[in-house]
Amino acid sequence: MMKISWFDRLYVGEKAKKKRYKIIQGIRKSKPKSDIYVIMPASNGNNILDIYPTAELFAPFFRQEEVFILGIAADYWEALEVAGRMVHDMYRITGGFDLSAFLDEEAGKV
């Protein structure tokens, strides 16, 4: 069973804001929508973030994983914008591209 964790300061795209609750409930209830995307920490050491359509979260690979969702978006282009905003904030706050330091810093603001 996949365990989903959510970033306390979840990044949400402009279009996704209108249906934020519905998107989150759909993911929690394992009802993926092909046009909804999530932004998560990168699964490899070469990148900072990964962008996935929610349908991929329910593929066999992810079922055994713990998933940490940092952001949601209503389409792929919005996901790129949200990821860009996250990287911009990360650089502004940490002076670099250290996702762990950024998440720790943001968690301290809650």
Side-chain angles (χ1 to χ4, degrees):
M1 179 75 178
M2 176 176 52
K3 181 179 183 320
I4 299 175
S5 300
W6 299 84
F7 186 39
D8 288 335
R9 297 173 59 91
L10 186 70
Y11 279 76
V12 181
E14 284 301 312
K15 289 185 255 177
K17 279 183 184 172
K18 297 177 189 107
K19 44 190 174 178
R20 174 188 172 129
Y21 179 77
K22 194 173 188 177
I23 292 170
I24 291 171
Q25 288 305 98
I27 294 169
R28 285 185 174 147
K29 294 179 179 178
S30 301
K31 294 182 180 174
K33 298 243 189 259
S34 60
D35 58 336
I36 303 298
Y37 286 77
V38 294
I39 297 103
M40 304 185 323
S43 56
N44 67 41
N46 298 326
N47 301 325
I48 301 170
L49 302 168
D50 284 340
I51 298 172
Y52 293 104
T54 56
E56 279 192 40
L57 292 179
F58 305 100
F61 169 77
F62 282 112
R63 287 198 193 125
Q64 307 306 318
E65 298 293 313
E66 184 168 332
V67 174
F68 184 42
I69 298 175
L70 303 172
I72 57 176
D75 59 41
Y76 182 71
W77 297 108
E78 185 171 78
L80 292 175
E81 290 172 13
V82 172
R85 193 170 73 220
M86 292 172 69
V87 171
H88 177 267
D89 289 351
M90 181 186 321
Y91 188 80
R92 182 176 46 79
I93 290 168
T94 68
F97 300 104
D98 183 347
L99 182 61
S100 296
F102 172 68
L103 296 176
D104 290 345
E105 184 73 28
E106 287 295 289
K109 293 180 181 177
V110 176

